[in-house]
Amino acid sequence: MKSRYKPTRRALLFWTLFIGIGAVCGAVGMLADPTGRAMGMDALLPYFQKLPLADVLYRDYVFPGIALLVVNGLTNLTAAGLLLAKKKAGILLGGCFGVTLMLWICIQFYMFPRNFMSTSYFIFGFLQAVTGYMAWVFCRQESFTVSEGDYPNAGTNPRRLVVYFSRMGYTKKLALEEANRTGAMVHEIRATERTAGTLGFWWCGRFGMHRWPMPIEEIPLDLTRFDHVTVCSPIWVFHLASPVRAFCQAAKGEIREADYILVHHQKNPYWNAAREMDRLLGLRDSPAVSVCCREGRYRSRQRNNQIPLEMYCESPRD
C-alpha cells in the first residue's frame, strides 16, 4: 500500500523550514537594526506598549528579535533537522511548533490592527499543526504490523472458523489471536471495491455513511460445516463495516452459532453492530467483544454477556 506518511512528513518538513528560515531572517533584521527603520517596522513600536514590561523590553526590537529567533526560528529548524534525520521527535515537535506559531500570532492580533501578514501566518501555523498531527497518525499506522506466522495454532480445528475484514490490520490481529486461541480456520473477507489508502478511506466512509453492503469476493467455504463462527469487524461511521454486512447477508441461514469481535476508535462499544449481525445471520443474543483501538494500540475491551473476557484475547492490553 502506498505510504501516506512519507508525503506528509515532507509537507511538515516544508512548513518547519519555511517558518524557521523566515523567523531567523526576521530576527536577524531586527537585531541588525533595532530601530526597525530598515525593515519599515519603526511605526509598529508604539503598539508594543500594550504588553507587560513594555518600557523595559519593547523600546526597540532587540528583545522581540531574540524572542522570534528562539520561539519560531531555532525551534522549527531543530524540528526540520530531526525530520531530515527521520526521527519521530521531529513529527511531534513540528506539529507543536505550529501551535506555538498560532499562539504567537494571537499576541499580534491583540497588539496590531487586523492585517494580511498576521492572518496568513496564523493559517500557516494551523496548517503546520494539522500536518504534524497527520504525520504522527500515519507514522503510527504504518509502523503497525501483523504476521500470520506468529499464530501457529490457527487452522488446527476444522470445526471452527474466524472470519474478518481489515483495512489497517487492527481487526486482522484480533482475528488471528482468536484463531490461535481456538485453533479455528481463518477466512478474510475481501472487498471488490477500493478500500486501501486515503481514497479508499473516503470511499469506505461513503458506504459506511449510507449503511450499504459493499460487494465482496465469493465465499469459498461451506459455512454449514462449522460448529462455531467468529465474525470480526471494524466499525465504519458508527455502524457495521460494509464488507462484513455483505458477508452476513450472503451467509444467512448457514451459520448455526456465532460470536463477534468489534474494533473501533471510540469508547462506545457499538453493540448495535452485533445486533445487526445477529439479525442478518438469523441468530439471537450472540456474545460479542468490543475493542477500542487507536493507531494500532488496543486500549480497552468490553463484553456484552457473561463469557469470560480473557477467552477473547491473549492479554487485556496490547
Side-chain angles (χ1 to χ4, degrees), residues 3-39:
S3 174
R4 294 186 291 175
Y5 165 65
K6 291 181 180 178
T8 310
R9 184 182 68 85
R10 288 194 292 267
L12 182 60
L13 177 61
F14 163 78
W15 285 119
T16 54
L17 288 173
F18 176 75
I19 301 300
I21 293 174
V24 169
C25 292
V28 169
M30 291 180 184
L31 296 175
D33 180 16
T35 66
R37 294 191 185 93
M39 300 178 64

Side-chain angles (χ1 to χ4, degrees), residues 155 157-163 183-187 219-230 247 254-258:
N157 182 355
R159 305 302 298 175
R160 291 185 68 107
L161 175 68
V162 172
V163 178
M185 308 289 288
V186 179
H187 170 65
I219 304 171
L221 299 170
D222 178 10
L223 298 175
T224 60
R225 70 183 180 90
F226 295 101
D227 295 332
H228 187 93
V229 177
T230 300
F247 168 83
E254 298 184 17
I255 295 177
R256 296 191 297 272
E257 182 181 273

Side-chain angles (χ1 to χ4, degrees), residues 181-202:
R181 183 186 69 82
T182 62
M185 308 289 288
V186 179
H187 170 65
E188 179 181 3
I189 301 170
R190 297 184 181 274
T192 58
E193 298 281 342
R194 179 171 183 170
T195 60
T198 302
L199 292 178
F201 170 81
W202 293 110

Side-chain angles (χ1 to χ4, degrees), residues 6 13 34 86 101 140 161 178 201 207 219 307:
K6 291 181 180 178
L13 177 61
K86 298 183 179 180
L101 177 58
R140 292 184 61 176
L161 175 68
E178 175 66 6
F201 170 81
F207 275 82
I219 304 171
I307 291 182

Side-chain angles (χ1 to χ4, degrees), residues 304-318:
N304 69 343
N305 60 13
Q306 299 305 314
I307 291 182
L309 181 58
E310 58 269 17
M311 290 182 62
Y312 286 92
C313 52
E314 295 177 350
S315 60
R317 185 183 296 267
D318 272 311

Side-chain angles (χ1 to χ4, degrees), residues 92-160:
L92 295 173
L93 292 177
C96 290
F97 294 151
V99 176
T100 301
L101 177 58
M102 287 192 290
L103 295 174
W104 178 276
I105 298 301
C106 285
I107 297 174
Q108 292 190 8
F109 285 154
Y110 171 72
M111 293 191 305
F112 305 141
R114 293 293 182 265
N115 61 86
F116 175 79
M117 186 67 71
S118 295
T119 302
S120 298
Y121 270 84
F122 184 87
I123 295 173
F124 295 159
F126 174 77
L127 293 175
Q128 180 179 347
V130 170
T131 305
Y133 176 74
M134 292 173 61
W136 176 71
V137 170
F138 293 156
C139 178
R140 292 184 61 176
Q141 288 179 340
E142 294 180 20
S143 63
F144 178 86
T145 58
V146 55
S147 173
E148 296 180 5
D150 295 335
Y151 306 92
N153 195 48
T156 58
N157 182 355
R159 305 302 298 175
R160 291 185 68 107

